[in-house]
Structure formats: C-alpha cells, structure tokens
Amino acid sequence: MNSFTKAYIPYGGYYSTPFSRWQGSMQHDNSITLAAETARRWFLEKRKMDPTVIDYLYYGTTIAQHHWFFSHQWSAAILTDDKKFVPGLFIHQACSTSTTILALAAKDMELGAYNVAYGLMTDRCSNGPHTVWGNPLGPGGEPYREDWNMDNFGGNPRVPVAMVETGENVAKEIGATKEECDAVVLRRYEQYQDALANDRAFQKRYMFAPLCTVNKKTKKLVEEDEGWTPTTAEGLAKLKPVRPGAVHSFGTQTFPADGNCGIIVTTKEKAKELSTDPGVQIQIVSYGFARTKPAFMPAAPVPASEMALANAGLKITDIKAFKSHNPFAINDVNFARKFGVDIMKMNNYGSSLIYGHPQGPTAGRGIIEMIEELTILGGGYGLFTGCAGGDTAATLIVKVG
C-alpha cells in the first residue's frame, strides 16, 4: 500500500491551542492533563459532541511529565470520563509525532480496525525534567544526569552536534546566506500577521483556548499565541549569527513552547457525519519518511517529501499549499531550492518559525492550518513536511475537496 484511500478528517474535526513560549502561561500545568481536559472541553463545548465517539486514541508527546508512564491511558480516561474505556497508544517521534500519528491512524482506517481514531498531541517545554539515571559502575555509584530539553537540544549521543549546527551544515552545503535566511523570516512574519488580521479571523477557524493554571486558586483561558517577536528587516539585519561565519541568528530560528492539539481520523462516511460542513471533504493521501546523513537534519524533509509524492502518484506542481515545520530558516530555503517552488508562497498564515515549537503538537497545528488554507482556496492538495531530531523527517499529503 503506497497511498491511503479510506482515511478522512472531518472538516472542523480538529483544534489547536495557541502556542505559548516556554515559561509562559502554560508552564504550570502537566501537559497530559491539560491536553486531555482541553480536548474534552473542545468536544463538549465547541463541537457539542460526545467524546465516546472515539474508538482508539493515539497520544503523542516527547517531553516527560509526572505519570508519563500512564499518559496514553490516563488521557483517554480524562477525555471520555471513562464513560467508554478507550485504549490508547503512546507515540514519541520527536518533532514528527503528529505526522506519524495521522499516518498510523490512516493505516488503521485502511485495515478497518475501527471507525474513529483520535490523535491527541501535546508537550510542555517549560520546566522540563532533570533526570537521574542509575549507573552502578559509576564512581561510588554516581548516577548519570540529563536535562531533557537543554541536553538534547545540544545534540544526540551518536552525533553530539547542536541542532543549530545541523542548520549551518545544510546552509554551507547549498551556499545559502544570512540575508537569504533573514528574508524568509520576514516573509513568514508577514504571513503570520495575515492569520491575526480581522481580529484573528483565520486562527479562530481552528484555535481553542486551554484553561491554564495561574496559581493554586486561579485559572485563565489562554486565547492567543504568546512570545512571538515583532520582526523587521532592519532588526534582523542587526542580529549577529549565533556562530562566527554562520547564517542563523536568534531571529532566524524557532523557540521552545507549550501547547496541544487534537485531530479526528475516520472513514469517509463518518467524516461527513462529524463534519461542521459536509461539503468539505478532507482525505489523508500519503505519507513519507526519511533519515539523512548525520548532522544535516534540515535536509531530511526533501527525501521524505519525494517519498510522499511518489506514494501518492503526484508531482510537486500538483501541490497547492505547502506548510513546514521550520525550526531554522534554512529548512524552507533548502526545500524551495530542491523542488523549485516559490519560497515566499510556502507557509501562508504562519509557521513554527514564528509562533514557536512545542514539538509533539507542532506538525498537527501546521496540518490544521494547511487544511484551512486549502478550504479558503477552494480545495486541492496540501503537503506538510518537517524535520525531527535524529536527522529525520516526515511528510503528509492531504486533499481537500
């Protein structure tokens, strides 16, 4: 099986919270309970739908939280209030977690395993765990220590190269410049402003506010993204590269964030039933994956996208909307050069480069935004791609209409 024929997403069968820069408004809540409680509120308040419609849950996350061991079953129990004993599967696929979950759910639809799958993706980069690992052979039994966020941002055990260095390696290989990367960020910022226009009309098509803890006595709804930076050409030009001779400044890379999202995957018939507009049909078409040479992470979306296109029997010119998880500006520069697409028309309405990167739900929000863009355009094929830790990437192609 190279492409999917039986997997559909109901129009309006998804949400994403705003993304909040780490140590912002979502820092106090366990991401497991926040995601499950937010999804339950979305089902009951926004969609007026019983969560027990779900037959199977894919729970996606990458940063450990308290009681992580039980997170997939715990979140399912919260989501359904145990009115239905929904089983779940825990997925940790770094920044490709959401993409992988949708592909797995699509495979289940092809097999007829059940009728309704739900992908619930969440992460909290804030207050990441500081882990102690047993080391009986250490001097006096001294343990290993690991900071889940900072240590892993600094490189993987096989190739201990900081993630920003993987971006610089790709930039050097293709001969990209700092000015080129700055121009991409400025354009992405302009596109994000389009999503905020008219009192955030675009974002309100899919965004749902989580109820977050302020202190022991107070909670608040977080209605908008937090922590993105106003951007100008002059400001970007003044920022120095983070490494001597490099092309990326702090202005041309993303930032860690918190957030969650949820997406229903089901059959064609059930999608129409659960849709807020039965006239809009959303089909999951194909999936691609790749791992590139060590320390060249931003290059991986190209072979992953080549696979997804080949599996779908499509050409790059068949794609109407492109979205990417772009932790570095070079991700889009490399993709656009290799495929010959207009870099300034990728990522309409924003991307993780501007509004942040909670890891688990990042691709999910991008796919949701791509669906809404295609709906505005009257339908067509959309391609979402994004790199992930370990020099990997995944691509998902959907068709709207």
Side-chain angles (χ1 to χ4, degrees), residues 129-135 142-146 148:
H130 308 278
T131 309
V132 175
W133 302 101
N135 178 23
E142 182 180 8
Y144 297 111
R145 297 170 178 84
E146 180 182 13
W148 273 54

Side-chain angles (χ1 to χ4, degrees), residues 18-29:
F19 286 177
S20 177
R21 184 186 285 266
W22 61 345
Q23 306 312 125
S25 292
M26 297 189 201
Q27 68 168 300
H28 299 295
D29 293 285

Side-chain angles (χ1 to χ4, degrees), residues 332-398:
D332 288 355
V333 175
N334 184 68
F335 184 92
R337 284 197 191 183
K338 297 295 174 62
F339 281 111
V341 302
D342 187 346
I343 196 170
M344 297 303 174
K345 294 182 180 179
M346 296 171 59
N347 284 308
N348 289 318
Y349 303 105
S351 66
S352 56
L353 188 60
I354 301 300
Y355 52 60
H357 178 30
Q359 298 181 183
T362 301
R365 175 172 172 175
I367 290 166
I368 290 168
E369 291 183 338
M370 183 174 71
I371 289 169
E372 290 294 348
E373 178 184 355
L374 286 167
T375 303
I376 292 170
L377 294 174
Y381 289 102
L383 182 152
F384 176 88
T385 191
C387 65
D391 301 304
T392 66
T395 297
L396 194 80
I397 294 177
V398 304

Side-chain angles (χ1 to χ4, degrees), residues 15 28 43 46 57 85 110 122 131 184 188 191-192 199 225 233 272 308 334 336 341 356 361 370 392:
Y15 81 89
H28 299 295
F43 269 96
K46 178 73 173 180
L57 175 74
F85 302 127
E110 296 296 320
T122 183
T131 309
V184 170
R188 298 293 172 262
Q191 291 165 307
Y192 179 66
D199 192 27
D225 293 324
K272 188 172 183 179
N334 184 68
V341 302
M370 183 174 71
T392 66

Side-chain angles (χ1 to χ4, degrees), residues 39-40 43-44 49-55 79-81 84 86:
R40 178 170 176 79
F43 269 96
L44 296 175
M49 187 190 305
D50 189 338
T52 61
V53 69
I54 299 168
D55 298 316
L79 177 57
T80 63
D81 195 28
K84 181 178 181 179
V86 174

Side-chain angles (χ1 to χ4, degrees), residues 15-19 26 38 207-210 225 258-261 365:
Y15 81 89
S16 174
T17 67
F19 286 177
M26 297 189 201
T38 302
M207 198 169 276
F208 188 73
D225 293 324
D258 308 330
N260 62 77
C261 70
R365 175 172 172 175

